[in-house]
């Protein structure tokens, strides 16, 4: 039962932080006078790919394989 409570709390946290991320991205685009598409491409995309990058780096450091880190950085984050 406790897992479901934690799950719904984390879903709420992700939902509200995602909304705030987009809101502040729009504000940043207006303040810097650049397009919202550019902010979406650079700011939002890089922030949403950070957890994957951190997971890959921590897994590679656990296994002690620098090749895994290079592959994670170069090929996994291309999308």
């Amino acid at each position: 039962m406790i897992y479901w409570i934690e799950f719904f709390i984390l879903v709420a946290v992700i939902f509200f932080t995602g909304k705030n991320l987009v809101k502040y991205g729009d504000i940043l685009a207006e303040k810097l006078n650049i397009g919202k598409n550019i902010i979406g491409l650079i700011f939002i995309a890089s922030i949403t790919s950070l957890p994957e990058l951190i997971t890959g780096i921590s897994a590679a450091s656990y296994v002690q394989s620098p090749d895994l880190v290079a592959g994670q950085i170069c090929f996994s984050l291309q999308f």
Side-chain angles (χ1 to χ4, degrees):
M1 182 68 181
I2 190 91
Y3 295 117
W4 285 106
I5 294 170
E6 289 176 7
F7 174 75
F8 286 119
I9 290 172
L10 292 174
V11 165
V13 167
I14 290 171
F15 176 76
F16 288 115
T17 55
K19 282 181 66 171
N20 286 335
L21 180 66
V22 172
K23 180 177 78 172
Y24 291 127
D26 288 341
I27 292 170
L28 187 64
E30 289 177 8
K31 297 256 185 199
L32 295 176
N33 292 326
I34 58 176
K36 292 181 181 180
N37 293 335
I38 301 296
I39 289 293
L41 179 69
I42 296 171
F43 183 66
I44 308 286
S46 63
I47 288 176
T48 55
S49 66
L50 280 178
E52 182 180 354
L53 179 65
I54 298 301
T55 303
I57 291 172
S58 63
S61 66
Y62 181 73
V63 177
Q64 297 179 352
S65 175
D67 296 336
L68 188 61
V69 174
Q72 178 74 17
I73 291 171
C74 293
F75 301 113
S76 179
L77 298 176
Q78 288 182 353
F79 296 106

